């Protein structure tokens, strides 16, 4: 499919399919050979959002329907209209250099009425005026395109608000002449045309620059070219790739470079680089800075996707013009900020904030707008995979061709499990009921009583229920509805009750969708003052059901990490496509550079006291024979403290430093600073913690590691139930509940030792279970165990 150049470390494209070609998708330039000829395809939604929004930003609380509720609501409306009703009508039209397209929700031929259905939770009167104007702009644009296609002189347009709770409709209906709709359509297109021409010019320059992009380093490292080729092939064929690649080969640039090279030929709208931990984003920005510097005119827009908590300047104020000065007149000042931002091109969090405050608008919502105009997005995985992830919503609405890279992908199962899990402590319900206004208090007290009754019936400190009592479900719905009605009437309210409301809405949504992919549990929480609380929880076990549609909608996705074996773990639990490709890149250094040894004693929980001295003898023996800096990993802080304390008493001559439970950023930096190039000592850390992955201590800064235990999760009712559920879904125990994630942590921790092909070091696995066949099979073959 492609050949590699011997004279230049760039990907040379051999087949015509990858050559730059006219592209036709939303927000994409389609050009002729003549540079003066251009056109631009834009969706109806994007055209209207650009041209019709004016005045304040208004994010007052209005209960919104989920995507699934929206689909079901539209289907309900369609069924009510009768057998002649036309649904999902594809429309497109040309206006000068613009090609505008979209899908109208439906047409009722009996009434000669084109409809736009908006699914809501609540009353149509509560939809903010600026949002209602946007809805009308979209419907009028569909009306203009519809009149063109059907050659109508007049049409009736109906904006239908469908309330999912009451299943009722509110219809706002007007009759328009085709000429009137055409004039409004032409005005919107004229407003957008200058920006569209700028974007077409940018796309042309970007694609030309990426076609000539050279690899930013003198040559490929061992294994890096193999990774780059696989990522490129996945992009060309529109597939999912699982790539297990060891530390030291340069995975970040080795995945970004080939995807950028594939971008023009495959018509990819955006590349998204997602990480499970913040440290990975720093490496992505460093690589992108080098790659962007290799494009003519630095013709690549790079945007950091920032969470609202990090970007909001006024967290104590409601998000609308009546409360927040940065929301007032937001859409009037947004165009100027947008122009400055795309001209700058490099848009990390700091740059977004500077531009936004210079124009007097909200940095967070500026960043949300700029997602549409950036080429490469860098952010956390929640932007795509969370139920409310912005990328998922925009990709669906604007029909983007999105190519995704997921770094540290071994963490994705656990991260997405948390995204589809929620907990409701009874103490929080009690506090909310006490602080709630009189109209809301009875519903919350009813919820508290239903929850307490459920706890009494369970009669256990920790229980997993086979089903959720109907009385509790009804009380939960009542509480959620009462709070929704309250905040509908009090749109400027902020504070703990609003936070509780959002938590309750999320919990209710998960309870409503409870299935075999999740557990419903009750567990006792110990309070700081010795008191106890009980928490109700929805704990996701298999996020595949939620994620599968997202993977299917992507053009391509590469998930990469040093620890993804066995591939079935990610494929089954994440819901990856059946044709997912697997790549296992060999290490870039000889196996003898890492001497791996297994200690023949047990560090199981019941054996730890008896084996502690033997464990310390291994550590001190290794240190005395080969002095230098080491990391010692333990499965818990208690175990860590036992070992470090006894070592300090026996060998005060050996310097040591310890991870503690509440380390801030400064303390973490101090911990890592102890690993000096000329240093000698032992750093004690927790397996699976912040120092077990994403830490780079090359050369003499770290020469070895000790890993005590297998890092298996503690025994608990929940763990037993998760194991049983996974066995039920996937057959015989494959270690998905415990052994596979535990050994991922082990391999990640071990990966701190060799950071480059020149490094050499020692690895001690401190437990006899590492010799078991099932354990050895999940460890790197080049370690030579088993």
């Amino acid at each position: 499919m492609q050949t590699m150049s011997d004279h230049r470390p760039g990907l040379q494209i051999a087949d015509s399919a990858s050559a730059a070609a006219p592209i036709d998708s939303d927000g994409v330039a389609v050009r002729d050979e003549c540079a003066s000829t251009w056109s631009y395809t834009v969706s109806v939604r994007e055209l209207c959002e650009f041209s019709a929004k004016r005045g304040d930003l208004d994010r007052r609380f209005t209960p919104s329907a989920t995507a699934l509720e929206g689909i079901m609501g539209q289907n309900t409306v369609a069924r009510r209209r009768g057998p002649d009703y036309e649904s999902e009508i594809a429309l497109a039209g040309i206006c000068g250099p613009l090609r505008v397209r979209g899908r109208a929700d439906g047409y009722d031929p009996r009434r000669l009425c084109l409809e736009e259905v908006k699914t809501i939770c609540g009353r149509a009167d509560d939809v903010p005026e600026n949002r209602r104007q946007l809805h009308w702009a979209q419907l009028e644009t569909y009306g203009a395109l519809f009149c063109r296609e059907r050659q109508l002189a007049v049409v009736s347009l109906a904006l239908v608000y469908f309330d999912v709770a009451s299943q009722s409709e509110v219809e706002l209906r007007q009759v328009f002449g085709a000429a009137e709709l055409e004039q409004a359509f032409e005005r919107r297109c004229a407003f957008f045309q200058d920006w569209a021409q700028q974007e077409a010019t940018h796309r042309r320059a970007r694609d030309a620059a990426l076609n000539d992009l050279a690899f930013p380093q003198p040559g490929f490292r061992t294994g890096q070219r193999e990774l780059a080729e696989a990522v490129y092939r996945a992009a060309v064929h529109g597939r999912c790739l699982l790539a297990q690649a060891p530390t030291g080969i340069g995975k970040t640039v080795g995945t970004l470079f080939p995807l950028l090279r594939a971008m023009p030929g495959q018509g990819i709208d955006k590349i998204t680089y997602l990480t499970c931990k913040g440290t990975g984003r720093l490496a992505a920005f460093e690589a992108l800075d080098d790659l962007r510097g290799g494009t003519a005119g630095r013709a690549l827009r790079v945007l950091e996707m920032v969470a609202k908590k990090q970007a909001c300047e006024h967290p104590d104020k409601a998000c609308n013009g009546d409360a927040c000065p940065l929301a007032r007149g937001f859409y009037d000042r947004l165009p100027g900020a947008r122009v400055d931002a795309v001209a700058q091109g490099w848009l990390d969090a700091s740059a977004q904030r500077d531009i936004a405050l210079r124009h007097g608008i909200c940095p967070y919502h500026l960043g949300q707008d700029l997602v549409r105009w950036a080429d490469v997005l860098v952010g956390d995985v929640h932007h795509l995979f969370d139920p409310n992830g912005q990328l998922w919503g925009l990709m669906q609405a604007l029909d983007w061709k999105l190519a995704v890279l997921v770094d540290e992908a071994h963490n994705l199962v656990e991260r997405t499990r948390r995204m589809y899990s929620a907990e409701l402590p009874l103490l929080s319900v009690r506090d909310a009921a006490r602080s709630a206004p009189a109209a809301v208090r009875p519903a919350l007290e009813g919820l508290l009583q239903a929850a307490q009754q459920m706890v009494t019936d369970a009669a256990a400190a920790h229980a997993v229920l086979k089903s959720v009592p109907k009385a509790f479900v009804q009380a939960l719905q009542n509480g959620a509805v009462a709070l929704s009605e309250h905040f509908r009437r009090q749109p400027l309210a902020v504070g703990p009750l609003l936070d509780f409301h959002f938590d309750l809405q999320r919990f209710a949504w998960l309870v409503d969708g409870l299935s075999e992919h999740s557990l419903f549990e009750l567990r006792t929480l110990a309070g700081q003052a010795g008191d106890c609380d009980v928490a109700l929880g929805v704990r996701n076990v298999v996020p595949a059901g939620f994620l599968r549609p997202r993977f299917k909608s992507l053009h391509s996705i590469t998930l990469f990490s040093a620890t993804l074996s066995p591939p079935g773990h990610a494929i089954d639990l994440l819901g990856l496509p059946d044709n997912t490709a697997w790549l296992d890149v060999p290490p870039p250094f000889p196996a003898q550079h890492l001497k791996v040894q297994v200690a023949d004693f047990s560090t199981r929980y019941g054996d730890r006291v008896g084996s502690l001295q033997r464990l310390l003898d291994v550590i001190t023996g290794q240190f005395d024979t080969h002095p230098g800096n080491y990391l010692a990993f333990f499965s818990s802080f208690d175990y860590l403290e036992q070992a470090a304390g006894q070592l300090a008493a026996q060998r005060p001559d050996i310097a040591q430093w310890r991870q503690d439970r509440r380390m801030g950023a400064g303390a973490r930096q101090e911990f890592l600073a102890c690993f000096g190039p000329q240093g000698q000592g032992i750093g004690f850390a927790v397996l699976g913690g912040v120092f077990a992955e994403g830490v780079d201590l090359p050369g003499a800064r770290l020469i070895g590691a000790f890993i005590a235990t297998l890092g298996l999760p503690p025994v608990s009712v929940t763990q037993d139930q998760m194991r049983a559920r996974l066995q039920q879904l996937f057959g015989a125990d494959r270690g998905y509940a415990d052994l596979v994630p535990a050994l991922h942590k082990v391999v990640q921790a071990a990966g701190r030792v060799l950071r480059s092909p020149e490094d050499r070091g020692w690895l001690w696995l401190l437990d006899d279970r590492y010799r078991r066949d099932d354990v050895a099979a999940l460890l790197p073959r080049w370690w030579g165990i088993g």
Side-chain angles (χ1 to χ4, degrees):
M1 186 59 68
Q2 74 274 351
T3 59
M4 296 298 140
S5 167
D6 292 329
H7 67 276
R8 187 188 74 153
L11 291 176
Q12 302 302 302
I13 311 306
D15 64 317
S16 60
S18 57
I23 300 161
D24 187 14
S25 63
D26 288 349
V28 175
V30 182
R31 71 250 184 216
D32 297 333
E33 293 302 317
C34 176
S36 62
T37 303
W38 67 275
S39 65
Y40 193 92
T41 300
V42 61
S43 69
V44 169
R45 171 172 168 169
E46 190 173 7
L47 173 69
C48 294
E49 286 187 343
F50 189 95
S51 60
K53 286 187 173 180
R54 297 286 187 277
D56 295 350
L57 176 71
D58 195 339
R59 289 292 186 271
R60 299 171 202 263
F61 173 75
T62 52
S64 58
T66 66
L68 180 59
E69 288 172 335
I71 294 171
M72 294 175 64
Q74 290 179 354
N75 291 339
T76 300
V77 172
R79 286 195 302 270
R80 291 174 177 177
R81 297 298 186 264
D84 297 334
Y85 190 74
E86 299 178 46
S87 298
E88 293 291 311
I89 304 167
L91 297 169
I94 302 296
C95 185
L98 299 182
R99 181 173 184 263
V100 183
R101 68 185 189 183
R103 287 184 181 272
D105 287 331
Y107 177 66
D108 187 347
R110 293 179 302 165
R111 300 189 301 157
L112 302 178
C113 184
L114 187 70
E115 296 185 326
E116 176 73 2
V117 180
K118 298 298 183 183
T119 309
I120 60 174
C121 294
R123 302 188 311 175
D125 290 345
D126 297 328
V127 177
E129 183 59 29
N130 62 350
R131 200 171 305 175
R132 192 190 304 275
Q133 290 175 0
L134 176 61
H135 296 163
W136 270 115
Q138 292 173 345
L139 179 55
E140 290 169 11
T141 303
Y142 287 130
L145 297 175
F146 189 76
C147 287
R148 281 188 181 187
E149 183 173 294
R150 304 287 175 102
Q151 297 183 337
L152 301 177
V154 66
V155 69
S156 179
L157 302 182
L159 183 57
V160 180
Y161 288 105
F162 178 81
D163 177 23
V164 297
S166 65
Q167 298 286 292
S168 61
E169 302 175 30
V170 173
E171 181 183 275
L172 307 178
R173 187 176 175 188
Q174 293 187 49
V175 177
F176 291 85
E180 179 185 3
L181 293 173
E182 184 69 21
Q183 290 175 0
F185 175 56
E186 290 176 354
R187 284 197 301 271
R188 293 188 185 100
C189 290
F191 186 86
F192 184 68
Q193 184 170 322
D194 287 346
W195 181 264
Q197 184 171 11
Q198 172 189 282
E199 289 304 290
T201 302
H202 165 74
R203 180 80 174 232
R204 184 164 55 243
R206 184 202 73 184
D207 287 355
L210 293 180
N211 276 326
D212 293 332
L213 182 64
F215 194 65
Q217 297 170 357
F220 286 100
R221 301 179 189 177
T222 302
Q224 194 177 39
R225 180 185 288 268
E226 183 180 358
L227 175 63
E229 289 176 355
V231 173
Y232 181 81
R233 286 194 297 270
V236 167
H237 296 294
R239 293 182 64 183
C240 174
L241 170 67
L242 271 175
Q244 181 168 268
T247 297
I249 71 166
K251 293 190 287 291
T252 304
V253 70
T255 53
L256 278 166
F257 170 69
L259 205 51
L260 287 168
R261 285 297 306 273
M263 196 175 190
Q266 301 310 309
I268 295 170
D269 294 311
K270 299 184 190 302
I271 291 172
T272 303
Y273 191 102
L274 302 175
T275 66
C276 293
K277 295 191 176 182
T279 52
R281 293 195 284 280
L282 299 177
F285 277 115
E286 289 176 3
L288 284 166
D289 191 34
D290 289 341
L291 289 162
R292 183 170 179 260
T295 61
R298 302 180 75 82
L300 195 66
R301 297 174 185 162
V302 178
L303 175 78
E304 181 176 6
M305 299 186 74
V306 187
K308 186 173 183 179
K309 287 183 179 179
Q310 298 168 338
C312 181
E313 293 287 317
H314 298 289
D316 59 324
K317 295 180 174 61
C319 200
N320 59 72
D322 292 335
C324 179
L326 298 181
R328 194 172 304 126
F330 177 89
Y331 290 111
D332 299 329
R333 293 191 288 274
L334 174 61
R338 185 192 288 137
V339 168
D340 285 357
V342 298
Q344 183 163 322
W346 186 261
L347 298 165
D348 58 12
S350 176
Q352 293 175 54
R353 183 176 186 271
D354 290 345
I355 294 169
L357 296 185
R358 190 161 66 243
H359 287 268
I361 62 175
C362 170
Y364 172 70
H365 287 285
L366 171 63
Q368 289 209 315
D369 180 83
L370 295 177
V371 168
R372 294 165 168 80
W373 317 113
D375 303 311
V376 182
L377 308 170
V378 180
D380 185 81
V381 291
H382 84 268
H383 293 293
L384 177 62
F385 297 113
D386 188 82
N388 298 314
Q390 182 193 13
L391 266 180
W392 170 238
L394 286 175
M395 186 176 68
Q396 287 184 302
L398 303 180
D399 196 25
W400 283 341
K401 201 171 186 180
L402 195 66
V404 177
L405 298 171
V406 180
D407 193 2
E408 305 155 335
H410 61 281
N411 289 308
L412 190 58
V413 169
E414 194 55 40
R415 281 294 310 275
T416 51
R417 277 174 173 165
R418 291 202 294 269
M419 292 175 196
Y420 294 93
S421 300
E423 198 166 72
L424 184 67
L426 297 197
L427 181 60
S428 68
V429 181
R430 189 177 295 110
D431 289 345
R434 289 171 179 167
S435 63
V440 178
R441 193 174 301 125
L444 295 184
E445 289 174 344
L447 172 60
L448 182 61
Q449 291 172 4
Q452 289 172 331
Q453 184 61 52
M454 188 166 51
V455 171
T456 301
D457 293 342
H462 194 167
V464 175
L465 304 188
K466 292 183 178 180
S467 62
V468 185
K470 292 182 180 180
F472 173 76
V473 173
Q474 185 61 57
L476 180 62
Q477 293 173 349
N478 293 342
V481 169
L483 280 170
S484 295
E485 181 64 18
H486 167 68
F487 285 108
R488 181 190 65 78
R489 295 175 177 174
Q490 302 291 332
L492 300 184
V494 294
L497 190 61
L498 181 62
D499 294 338
F500 173 80
H501 170 59
F502 289 143
D503 291 342
L504 191 67
Q505 292 287 340
R506 173 183 170 83
F507 188 78
W509 177 72
L510 289 171
V511 169
D512 184 58
L514 200 62
S515 183
E516 61 183 7
H517 51 64
S518 300
L519 305 173
F520 187 84
E521 63 180 358
L522 315 175
R523 65 189 187 96
T524 301
L525 305 175
Q528 295 181 349
D531 54 340
C532 293
D533 187 21
V534 175
L536 317 178
V538 175
R539 184 183 297 270
N540 180 257
V541 179
V542 182
F546 297 107
L547 305 183
R548 192 172 287 111
R550 306 194 181 206
F551 288 118
K552 186 177 180 180
S553 298
L554 298 172
H555 170 69
S556 73
I557 182 169
T558 294
L559 302 97
F560 61 97
S561 168
T563 49
L564 286 175
S565 183
H569 178 256
I571 292 172
D572 288 340
L573 298 189
L574 294 174
L576 301 181
D578 293 337
N579 67 343
T580 295
W582 166 252
L583 174 70
D584 191 1
V585 180
F589 37 75
Q592 57 267 31
H593 279 201
L594 183 68
K595 185 173 183 180
V596 182
Q597 301 174 83
V598 177
D600 290 316
F601 52 78
S602 171
T603 57
R604 296 168 179 82
Y605 185 79
D607 299 328
R608 290 177 186 174
V609 174
S611 64
L612 184 57
Q613 188 56 54
R614 295 178 67 185
L615 181 149
L616 295 177
D617 290 343
V618 170
I619 293 176
T620 56
Q622 174 67 38
F623 184 87
D624 290 340
T625 305
H626 299 284
N629 290 323
Y630 291 84
L631 268 167
F633 294 100
F634 294 82
S635 57
S636 68
F637 281 104
D638 289 341
Y639 195 13
L640 180 156
E641 290 296 335
Q642 291 175 19
Q646 192 159 325
L647 179 65
Q650 294 179 5
R651 293 292 301 272
D653 58 306
I654 299 178
Q656 65 168 252
W657 44 100
R658 308 177 192 179
Q659 179 183 357
D660 64 44
R661 300 174 193 269
R662 298 177 182 84
M663 264 186 158
R668 290 197 294 268
Q669 289 301 319
E670 290 176 8
F671 182 92
L672 294 174
C674 294
F675 294 90
Q678 309 301 321
Q680 294 184 10
I682 301 173
F684 286 81
V686 171
L687 190 62
V690 66
F691 301 115
E693 59 180 277
V695 170
D696 193 21
L697 298 170
R701 293 190 67 190
L702 184 70
I703 66 169
F706 308 94
I707 301 177
T709 80
L710 268 64
L712 295 171
V715 176
S716 69
V717 173
T718 298
Q719 187 62 31
D720 291 343
Q721 291 288 336
M722 288 182 66
R723 185 184 301 106
R725 183 62 55 87
L726 288 168
Q727 289 181 357
Q728 172 190 332
L729 294 173
F730 302 110
D733 187 5
R734 304 184 187 185
Y736 286 180
D738 37 41
L739 193 58
V740 170
L743 293 181
H744 281 176
K745 291 189 291 185
V746 168
V747 178
Q748 280 290 325
R752 301 315 97 206
V753 180
L754 299 187
R755 304 301 295 173
S756 74
E758 295 75 32
D759 285 354
R760 286 168 169 77
W762 291 264
L763 173 64
W764 274 96
L765 303 174
L766 304 178
D767 195 286
D768 53 17
R769 287 171 289 178
Y770 284 104
R771 296 198 184 279
R772 280 178 11 198
D773 290 344
D774 61 330
V775 173
L778 296 173
L779 298 173
R781 288 192 301 272
W782 63 272
W783 282 10
I785 299 173

